Amino acid sequence: MRTPAAERRVYCSSADRSQRATTDRDAHAEVDTTVDGVPLSLVSVPGVFAATGLDHGTRLLLETARVMDGDRVLGLCCGYGAAGVWAAKTGGSAVTLTDDDRPATRCAECSLAASGVDGEVVTADGTAGVEERRFDTVLCNPPTHAGDGVLRDLFEGARRVLSSDGTLWVVDHRDLDFRPQLSAAGFGGVDRVAVGEEHVVLAVVG
């Protein structure tokens, strides 16, 4: 079930690190992994996407995307927070994570705390909880099963919150093509910047 826009915001700062927030479910798993030499300490629960380990698509996305020092970064469809943790550790000065699944955002909060980085977590549908913001970088592994309409709405939201010279980095399956939905959302430039065994990464600009 989708959470109403701006339902709740959870802040995770250095003051919280000694008391890690609990997730909405009792059993949780710690997922420790490394992406291009960057260690990530992540927290997941059964039922969230890729609960037992970082999926290949997200890994390819993070290995490919570029975050510049000081970037305002949005992890869209954040799941348990891998993209946000990675961005915070690679130069993002202000990291925000959003997802419409409450257990996922609770895990994302815990992942930030476990990795010792700061960020804001928003539980909301797409970009509904951050519409007033502008971001230099948006990282997204979208729910490809959700259908064209949901993807188009998601990408339209990403375009609205992206700064004029910002980049949306999105991972896609090799047998799919997001270009029609991205075009319908108003994006102009779409470059395929990485190809893996099952996934591709697109760099998208306005």
Side-chain angles (χ1 to χ4, degrees), residues 92-131:
S93 65
V95 174
T96 303
L97 304 179
T98 184
D99 200 295
D100 67 356
D101 182 70
R102 179 60 176 157
T105 55
R106 290 292 287 164
C107 286
E109 180 192 16
C110 292
S111 294
L112 290 167
S115 293
V117 292
D118 294 337
E120 180 186 1
V121 182
V122 178
T123 305
D125 188 4
T127 59
V130 294
E131 286 284 2

Side-chain angles (χ1 to χ4, degrees), residues 23 25 43-44 91 94 103 120 125 128 141 145 149-150 161-162 177 192:
T23 62
R25 304 174 190 178
V43 177
S44 74
E120 180 186 1
D125 188 4
N141 185 352
H145 61 278
V150 171
V161 301
L162 197 64
D177 187 357
R192 179 180 286 193

Side-chain angles (χ1 to χ4, degrees), residues 7 11 13 35 55 58 106-107 155 189 202:
E7 175 253 4
Y11 293 86
S13 67
V35 176
D55 65 289
T58 298
R106 290 292 287 164
C107 286
F155 295 149
L202 308 176

